[in-house]
């Protein structure tokens, strides 16, 4: 680049006279100009480029520090929808979900096929531990280990954990189908274990169509 001179087109349209000036800005060196474009946008203060390449204002707090927010979905499906003849379990490390105060756990049974005796079907089990069991240590405190009564028809079983929570049982209602609920008015602890238990007699292609959905409460 030529210092002290604005940059012009290198391949101007024939017959238009003098080459036009390129879009450009002065660099930190006085009299030195640099072409401005998509690969070299104008220098701006407090702007950031998003994943689509668009420059947007950077959000800051009142003291000028960056406004940082922990991101993550409020809804999780630790046990995705499936047709199964046996139960399964999953562990959720609550300590890694900053700001979570409670959870709304829902076992949703969409349908069942099979033969069931009294007391057979599917049930939700919730277990919470406080301590360091999940990183291979021995220190822990079991806060709760509770199972619902098995059901063998479409419906829901709901477990709610939240400190000092009080809910009127009539606030729970089913939009068709059976519903059962339990409220645990205390903190979760470090580890939440969600599992399902299934009993019954199943032929080929039969099973229980269900999923477990969790909503995190902040």
């Amino acid at each position: 680049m030529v210092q002290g001179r604005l940059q012009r087109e290198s391949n101007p349209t024939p017959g238009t006279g003098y080459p036009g000036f390129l879009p450009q800005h002065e660099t930190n060196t006085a009299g030195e100009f640099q072409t401005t474009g998509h690969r070299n946008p104008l220098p701006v203060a407090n702007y950031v480029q998003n994943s689509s390449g668009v420059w947007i204002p950077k959000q800051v707090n009142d003291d000028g520090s960056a406004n940082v927010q922990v991101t993550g979905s409020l809804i999780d499906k630790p046990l995705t929808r499936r047709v199964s003849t046996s139960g399964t379990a999953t562990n959720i490390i609550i300590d890694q979900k900053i700001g979570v105060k409670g959870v709304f756990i829902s076992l949703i049974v969409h349908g069942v096929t099979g033969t069931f005796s009294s007391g057979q079907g599917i049930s939700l089990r919730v277990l919470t531990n406080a301590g360091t069991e999940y990183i291979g240590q021995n220190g822990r405190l079991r806060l709760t280990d509770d199972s619902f009564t098995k059901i063998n028809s479409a419906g829901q079983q709901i477990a709610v954990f939240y400190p000092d929570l009080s809910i009127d049982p009539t606030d729970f209602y089913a939009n068709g189908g059976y519903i059962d609920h339990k409220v645990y008015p205390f903190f979760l602890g470090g580890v939440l274990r969600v599992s399902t238990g299934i009993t019954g007699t199943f032929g080929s292609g039969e099973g229980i169509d269900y999923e477990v959905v969790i909503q995190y409460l902040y």
Side-chain angles (χ1 to χ4, degrees), residues 182-213:
K182 296 186 179 186
V183 176
Y184 307 91
F186 47 80
F187 71 99
L188 278 169
V191 181
L192 169 65
R193 183 175 179 84
V194 178
S195 61
T196 55
I198 295 177
T199 56
T201 302
F202 303 98
S204 176
E206 293 184 326
I208 296 182
D209 180 2
Y210 77 95
E211 62 184 320
V212 174
V213 179

Side-chain angles (χ1 to χ4, degrees), residues 27 54 66-67 82 85 99 103 106 118 122 159 175 181 187 189 199 207 209:
T27 67
V54 178
N67 183 7
R82 66 198 64 198
T85 59
V103 291
S106 181
S118 176
I122 184 172
N175 186 17
H181 67 275
F187 71 99
T199 56
D209 180 2

Side-chain angles (χ1 to χ4, degrees), residues 16-211:
T16 58
Y18 291 103
F21 291 104
L22 296 172
Q24 56 200 283
H25 63 271
E26 190 174 29
T27 67
N28 291 329
T29 301
E32 183 179 273
F33 296 91
Q34 191 173 39
T35 303
T36 297
H38 182 77
R39 290 175 297 177
N40 184 36
L42 283 168
V44 291
N46 294 326
Y47 273 70
V48 294
Q49 195 173 27
N50 65 16
S51 58
S52 300
V54 178
W55 289 88
I56 58 175
K58 183 178 181 180
Q59 295 184 345
V60 297
N61 299 315
D62 292 340
D63 60 0
S65 61
N67 183 7
V68 179
Q69 180 178 354
V70 177
T71 60
S73 174
L74 294 177
I75 303 296
D76 188 16
K77 293 186 177 182
L79 300 179
T80 56
R81 187 169 178 176
R82 66 198 64 198
V83 177
S84 182
T85 59
S86 60
T88 187
T90 184
N91 288 334
I92 301 167
I93 310 303
I94 298 298
D95 285 352
Q96 296 177 357
K97 300 183 180 296
I98 299 174
V100 170
K101 296 181 180 179
V103 291
F104 187 99
I105 308 167
S106 181
L107 164 66
I108 304 171
V109 181
H110 298 281
V112 301
T113 52
T115 303
F116 304 95
S117 301
S118 176
Q120 291 188 323
I122 184 172
S123 62
L124 175 67
R125 178 186 177 190
V126 290
L127 183 152
T128 59
N129 285 337
T132 55
E133 179 187 26
Y134 62 92
I135 58 174
Q137 304 297 322
N138 294 321
R140 63 174 178 167
L141 170 64
R142 178 148 300 175
L143 301 175
T144 185
D145 184 356
D146 200 7
S147 297
F148 285 70
T149 301
K150 282 185 170 55
I151 60 174
N152 50 41
S153 62
Q156 292 186 62
Q157 293 184 337
I158 297 172
V160 184
F161 289 82
Y162 202 86
D164 301 320
L165 179 65
S166 177
I167 297 179
D168 187 331
T170 60
D171 289 338
F172 289 89
Y173 67 95
N175 186 17
Y178 171 88
I179 188 169
D180 191 10
H181 67 275
K182 296 186 179 186
V183 176
Y184 307 91
F186 47 80
F187 71 99
L188 278 169
V191 181
L192 169 65
R193 183 175 179 84
V194 178
S195 61
T196 55
I198 295 177
T199 56
T201 302
F202 303 98
S204 176
E206 293 184 326
I208 296 182
D209 180 2
Y210 77 95
E211 62 184 320

